[in-house]
Amino acid sequence: KEDLSITTLTKEDGLTEARIRLVRYHLPTETLVIVYESGVIDLLRDGRFITLRQIDNFNFNGDKTIYSLFFGNDNLVYISAGFGLTVLDLVEETFQFTTFTGVRVNASAETTSFIYLATNEGVYRAPRTGVNLNDFGNWRLLGPGVGLPGDYSSSAMEVFRDQVYFSVGLDVYKLEGGRAALAYKAEEGEYYIRYMSSGPEHLLVGYRCDDDDDIPCFDRQLITIDENGGVDRIQNCLFRTNYALEETSGRIWFAEREDIGGIGYLNGVDDAECTDLEFGGPRSDDNNRLLHDGTALWVAPGVLDPKFSAPLSFGGFDRFFEGTWTNYREEALYLFGRDGVLGGDDEVTTIVDIYYDRINDRHWVSSYYEGSLALDFANQSGELFDETNSTLSEAIGEIESRIRSVGAVTDPQGFVYVANRGAKSREFVQVRSPEGDWAALGADCGENQALDIALDQSGFIWVIHADNPGGGITVIDHAGTPMDASDDRCRTFTSSNSNLPTNIVRSIAVDLDGVVWIGTAEGIVLFECLSDVFNTERCLGRRPVAEAEDGNAFLLGTEEILSITVDGGDRKWISTGGGAYLLSPNGEEQLLFFDAGNSPLLDDVVRDIAIDPNTGTVYFGTESGIISYRAVATQAGRTFREDLTIFPNPVEPGYAGPIAIDGLIRDARIKITDISGKLINEGTATGGQYIWDGADYNGRRVQSGVYLIFASSNVRFSGADPESAVGKIVFIK
């Protein structure tokens, strides 16, 4: 609070989970209480995490969501939840009692004499002592007898100046002498009371629009009530605020929903200027596909639901470049090909894919509702392609001008192929020539759905037809004439004419040997046909077999394969709804498996994976955000880099980590010797990188000195001599 500097806590620091619902600080015990969506609670005290799983482990199928916390006397925390009320002793780290109410408890409060519950049925009260608080029959519903309506709901509650305040519909009441008195009468509006927060000078009452209302809402407000009953209204800075609090200086902090804003503050109730704090990260946790173009990480946040539809999302897309996150929205008109006018049905919303066209140096950004953007970041310009200036077709069943673009790919000649989902014309691939002309492909293939697109080493176009119940995958051969569809041929693979186990296809990747990997809702299928893909007898696909405890089984045959990413060593990173796998180049060996239980992975649902080809860093796009992992495989060049990159070098005293040798040719053979030529270590590079642990053959750390690296390959390129490279490492102990 002094200088507004920011520190972070992550799963690597000790957080149990990633989906945090509530955070509150208990000053008397100096405890940070962290509540997760699951009901698990972390207590952070004296730099140590204590994890409480009792609520998550309750043996019943009801609502375990924790909706609010109230700090009472004797270091007790009153936990309001979907199942009722439970009370935690922060010092003993034990639960005192639990009341199963049969009605959701939105908030609770404690006074010297009573405990209060705010529920959808109204406010309940019970004496603090003298009754069995576990028995909900001992709780009394407050109604006309204390001046309250006979039928009402209460969503929030707080104690301010030793008086209980609570919501009655949109109004605020307080208890005085056992009677309910109106403290604030609200105007009618499209909002509800989200929270109450007690500060040193004011009670804060937060009104917020409906969670499911995606249209602009102008009824939001923050009401402040002082000890004399004076009321002020704050509306600036607020949109969909989750919580607010007042600190001793009078500064008011507020937290916005993640896709709307972030953390901000006002210097007081009379401050007209709000200050927003910037945090490093994408605009929201949402991510549909990730791309790393060798320079930056790109995030397309438009997530499709299980039926492959998506809500309108105006969050644009994100880029992570040189340690800084930037969000691009339609306000950046110069990039979005706009003339300065926003609004209407032609807004570029719900970005579902980003592809880097290396041939033409353009980023193709796919909008699920408004076509494709070709962006030139070097010149800060862009062009939007839709039904007015391309062959992109409007979607069946949508209002006019809605075009579903879901992916793009470029061939070596610079032709760009765009996947056009649900096209009215039934041409689900649109192609743009290097000269800027457009043509449509796929009209005679019998499909019009598309989810993703890829290009194999023979120049064939592969398009996924993901829908319900699924449409398989189609291959198009444009016969060397991308702009002329008259000589095209196509073949659609389904479970009835190939080895696809299901028609629901979710992902596709082409590996370094030209094998097409297909991810389905029931595992992986390999098409190793290369140029023979249209041979209906020989090219049926193969389901790889992996060793299982009970014998052979199809590779990940029970998993829905959400994405497949090939690294520089031709290994396959697989994302699923149950974690992420790393497979050997042929898929027969599982090298790694990450989930939220055995790693800092933020969530078991991994939607996509991207890899930095230069460093080997792997980015996992999960349902709870993005996290990275430093892997060993970098993209290999066709020749050795003139100067190998060795890090760290020199190896300083005390360093016991791995040493990376980068800039290698694919599958290079590495030998490491001492200065006299004695062999110390040898092995094969993974992609363009070799990792050495700094030990000799006997597992002993090497001594101080200079060590030589000899890298060689038996592969010849275009008649060139066998490639080789040398380097050296200095150890200091």
Side-chain angles (χ1 to χ4, degrees):
K1 293 187 294 185
E2 301 281 335
D3 60 2
L4 301 183
S5 59
I6 295 167
T7 57
T8 61
L9 288 173
T10 70
K11 288 186 68 176
E12 293 170 287
D13 300 311
L15 294 179
T16 299
E17 297 179 3
R19 296 185 180 183
I20 298 174
R21 181 172 178 83
L22 299 171
V23 176
R24 300 289 184 270
Y25 186 71
H26 188 253
L27 185 60
T29 60
E30 298 183 342
T31 302
L32 185 67
V33 183
I34 305 164
V35 176
Y36 300 98
E37 294 282 359
S38 65
V40 171
I41 299 173
D42 273 344
L43 307 178
L44 177 57
R45 186 163 54 226
D46 298 327
R48 183 173 66 95
F49 283 91
I50 301 102
T51 301
L52 306 176
R53 300 183 180 274
Q54 286 90 331
I55 294 176
D56 183 38
N57 291 335
F58 276 170
N59 187 24
F60 76 105
N61 296 322
D63 182 6
K64 300 180 183 179
T65 305
I66 296 174
Y67 292 101
S68 68
L69 304 177
F70 178 84
F71 293 138
N73 297 317
D74 302 323
N75 299 317
L76 297 180
V77 182
Y78 290 82
I79 300 172
S80 303
F83 57 82
L85 177 74
T86 188
V87 180
L88 170 66
D89 185 325
L90 280 177
V91 175
E92 298 296 329
E93 299 167 11
T94 58
F95 288 86
Q96 299 296 299
F97 69 87
T98 298
T99 305
F100 289 92
T101 60
V103 60
R104 166 176 153 174
V105 178
N106 299 310
S108 54
E110 177 204 56
T111 64
T112 55
S113 301
F114 293 98
I115 301 171
Y116 296 85
L117 307 180
T119 79
N120 293 338
E121 294 180 353
V123 173
Y124 285 85
R125 182 175 70 183
R128 287 185 64 232
T129 60
V131 299
N132 179 11
L133 293 172
N134 293 286
D135 183 358
F136 192 52
N138 293 323
W139 295 73
R140 175 191 170 199
L141 178 64
L142 303 185
V146 298
L148 289 171
D151 183 16
Y152 68 99
S153 65
S154 183
S155 61
M157 178 176 284
E158 187 56 273
V159 173
F160 177 63
R161 294 290 195 265
D162 298 323
Q163 290 182 313
V164 177
Y165 288 75
F166 54 92
S167 65
V168 175
L170 296 178
D171 301 327
V172 179
Y173 279 72
K174 65 178 179 179
L175 288 176
E176 292 181 319
R179 297 285 299 176
L182 183 66
Y184 172 71
K185 178 65 177 177
E187 298 178 359
E188 291 298 319
E190 297 297 326
Y191 51 45
Y192 68 101
I193 296 180
R194 168 79 176 198
Y195 59 87
M196 291 185 182
S197 173
S198 182
E201 301 296 331
H202 297 89
L203 175 72
L204 307 182
V205 183
Y207 286 82
R208 189 177 121 168
C209 302
D210 192 288
D211 289 349
D212 298 326
D213 188 2
D214 289 323
I215 65 174
C217 172
F218 302 101
D219 291 332
R220 59 196 181 273
Q221 57 186 328
L222 177 65
I223 297 299
T224 66
I225 302 175
D226 63 25
E227 62 179 335
N228 298 316
V231 174
D232 281 306
R233 178 186 289 108
I234 298 172
Q235 287 183 297
N236 58 316
C237 307
L238 308 177
F239 194 80
R240 285 188 171 90
T241 305
N242 289 318
Y243 195 67
L245 58 84
E246 180 187 43
E247 60 170 293
T248 54
S249 67
R251 182 184 287 165
I252 296 175
W253 293 85
F254 51 91
E256 292 281 353
R257 200 176 76 178
E258 64 173 359
D259 58 338
I260 300 298
I263 304 296
Y265 66 87
L266 297 166
N267 286 312
V269 294
D270 298 323
D271 187 9
E273 296 293 331
C274 59
T275 302
D276 293 320
L277 299 187
E278 296 291 333
F279 298 88
R283 182 174 172 82
S284 78
D285 287 339
D286 288 338
N287 53 87
N288 188 57
R289 290 185 187 151
L290 308 182
L291 162 75
H292 202 292
D293 60 13
T295 302
L297 176 71
W298 302 81
V299 181
V303 178
L304 303 183
D305 64 23
K307 295 183 179 180
F308 306 105
S309 62
L312 288 172
S313 170
F314 298 88
F317 57 94
D318 300 282
R319 178 177 72 154
F320 182 57
F321 175 64
E322 294 183 346
T324 300
W325 284 94
T326 303
N327 177 253
Y328 296 93
R329 282 178 288 171
E330 203 168 9
E331 287 83 350
L333 297 172
Y334 61 90
L335 281 179
F336 282 68
R338 293 298 194 183
D339 58 4
V341 178
L342 292 177
D345 296 328
D346 291 331
E347 294 191 45
V348 183
T349 61
T350 314
I351 305 303
V352 297
D353 185 74
I354 302 175
Y355 169 76
Y356 179 50
D357 172 7
R358 299 183 184 279
I359 305 299
N360 302 299
D361 193 20
R362 297 287 188 274
H363 286 81
W364 285 81
V365 178
S366 298
S367 166
Y368 201 69
Y369 291 102
E370 192 47 38
S372 293
L373 291 164
L375 303 183
D376 180 355
F377 278 89
N379 296 309
Q380 295 290 281
S381 63
E383 186 172 5
L384 173 64
F385 294 106
D386 56 19
E387 79 282 4
T388 66
N389 59 357
S390 74
T391 56
L392 284 166
S393 173
E394 295 170 318
I396 293 176
E398 278 288 351
I399 64 175
E400 187 177 356
S401 301
R402 288 282 171 83
I403 296 174
R404 302 202 192 286
S405 176
V406 292
V409 68
T410 307
D411 69 17
Q413 290 72 43
F415 289 87
V416 181
Y417 303 88
V418 177
N420 190 180
R421 180 173 176 81
K424 287 182 180 178
S425 66
R426 306 200 66 81
E427 295 159 320
F428 52 87
V429 176
Q430 315 298 330
V431 55
R432 184 176 188 264
S433 72
E435 295 76 28
D437 299 320
W438 285 84
L441 308 178
D444 297 328
C445 297
E447 286 284 350
N448 76 329
Q449 295 296 338
L451 181 69
D452 202 359
I453 187 169
L455 201 70
D456 69 16
Q457 293 184 1
S458 299
F460 299 142
I461 306 161
W462 295 68
V463 179
I464 294 172
H465 301 304
D467 55 11
N468 288 313
I473 186 168
T474 289
V475 185
I476 298 176
D477 174 17
H478 56 59
T481 57
M483 308 304 291
D484 180 8
S486 64
D487 57 354
D488 292 358
R489 56 176 174 164
C490 61
R491 179 184 179 188
T492 297
F493 294 95
T494 67
S495 59
S496 63
N497 64 15
S498 72
N499 287 322
L500 287 177
T502 172
N503 288 334
I504 301 177
V505 179
R506 295 300 309 268
S507 53
I508 182 172
V510 181
D511 73 11
L512 301 184
D513 292 325
V515 177
V516 179
W517 289 61
I518 302 297
T520 77
E522 299 177 16
I524 295 172
V525 178
L526 306 185
F527 287 90
E528 301 152 304
C529 322
L530 302 179
S531 61
D532 203 25
V533 70
F534 286 90
N535 189 318
T536 57
E537 294 182 359
R538 291 200 296 268
C539 188
L540 300 175
R542 177 176 67 88
R543 298 187 69 184
V545 174
E547 291 291 335
E549 293 182 359
D550 56 352
N552 291 334
F554 291 120
L555 180 63
L556 302 179
T558 60
E559 296 284 355
E560 185 173 23
I561 311 301
L562 301 181
S563 76
I564 304 172
T565 305
V566 182
D567 71 13
D570 206 25
R571 304 177 306 173
K572 312 314 186 286
W573 292 85
I574 310 296
S575 67
T576 74
Y581 298 80
L582 174 61
L583 305 179
S584 61
N586 61 10
E588 295 179 359
E589 182 181 359
Q590 178 181 307
L591 305 177
L592 290 173
F593 170 69
F594 296 135
D595 64 14
N598 70 4
S599 74
L601 196 68
L602 299 175
D603 196 279
D604 285 344
V605 178
V606 182
R607 295 193 180 106
D608 199 12
I609 297 173
I611 301 173
D612 183 340
N614 300 312
T615 66
T617 300
V618 181
Y619 296 89
F620 300 93
T622 79
E623 205 166 67
S624 298
I626 300 169
I627 189 169
S628 65
Y629 168 77
R630 182 62 189 267
V632 301
T634 61
Q635 188 175 51
R638 292 178 63 82
T639 61
F640 285 100
R641 196 180 300 161
E642 185 173 346
D643 295 313
L644 297 180
T645 300
I646 305 168
F647 182 83
N649 192 17
V651 180
E652 300 285 352
Y655 179 78
I659 299 137
I661 304 166
D662 200 13
L664 305 170
I665 207 167
R666 181 182 170 190
D667 299 330
R669 186 66 182 169
I670 307 298
K671 293 182 182 292
I672 300 174
T673 73
D674 62 17
I675 200 69
S676 69
K678 178 183 176 182
L679 185 63
I680 301 297
N681 180 272
E682 64 178 335
T684 302
T686 303
Q689 183 171 249
Y690 181 74
I691 299 296
W692 179 35
D693 62 3
D696 62 16
Y697 274 110
N698 296 314
R700 296 172 300 193
R701 195 72 169 175
V702 298
Q703 299 299 312
S704 296
V706 177
Y707 295 85
L708 304 179
I709 301 167
F710 298 93
S712 63
S713 173
N714 294 323
V715 179
R716 297 175 179 267
F717 294 103
S718 303
D721 292 331
E723 297 286 329
S724 63
V726 296
K728 65 180 179 181
I729 305 173
V730 177
F731 271 79
I732 304 172
K733 297 190 69 174

